Amino acid sequence: MHEMSIAMAVVGQVEEAARAAGAHAVTSVRLQVGELAGVVPDALAFCFELACAGTVLEGAELVTETVAARARCANCPGTWAVGMPPDLCCPACDRATDVELLSGRELEILSVRWEDGPAGARTREPIPEEA
């Protein structure tokens, strides 16, 4: 289950940024996950909860936003939803040559919400990621 390694990478990056900012608790993490990223959201949520244990993220909410897979044919106008399983054949010309995948592979930390002292909750957007 590679969701655990993804969760651990996200927790590590967020924890590093939160500590550098003086945060004492992370309350939520918002991720963008592409339809074709090969990530099962429920499995990621489960692994995220485990990876957060004993860290500044313990108890943090994971919010995932799914990005639909879309493609474009270099020979035809317009784009189409690729779907799952992916259909990379252009619906206009029925060819799969010169097809560009526009979205659907994303895996990105969009924002993090944390508490940093008496000022209360603060939001930091974005936190650079390499997950």
Side-chain angles (χ1 to χ4, degrees), residues 30-129:
R30 193 167 58 109
L31 294 181
Q32 187 176 56
V33 180
E35 184 177 28
L36 303 178
V39 175
V40 178
D42 288 342
L44 181 59
F46 176 77
C47 293
F48 180 79
E49 186 176 339
L50 293 176
C52 288
T55 73
V56 71
L57 285 88
E58 190 160 359
E61 174 188 24
L62 177 65
V63 178
T64 57
E65 297 178 6
T66 303
V67 178
R70 296 202 59 81
R72 171 178 52 215
C73 178
N75 302 312
C76 305
T79 65
W80 73 93
V82 171
M84 207 46 190
D87 180 5
L88 296 176
C89 198
C90 175
C93 68
D94 205 31
R95 288 190 277 179
T97 56
D98 294 326
V99 170
E100 177 186 8
L101 191 59
L102 301 173
S103 64
R105 295 178 291 187
E106 298 81 359
L107 183 54
E108 183 178 353
I109 299 170
L110 294 178
S111 66
V112 175
R113 187 167 184 85
W114 61 57
E115 296 174 5
D116 53 3
R122 303 276 168 91
T123 302
R124 308 289 185 190
E125 292 187 23
I127 288 183
E129 53 74 39

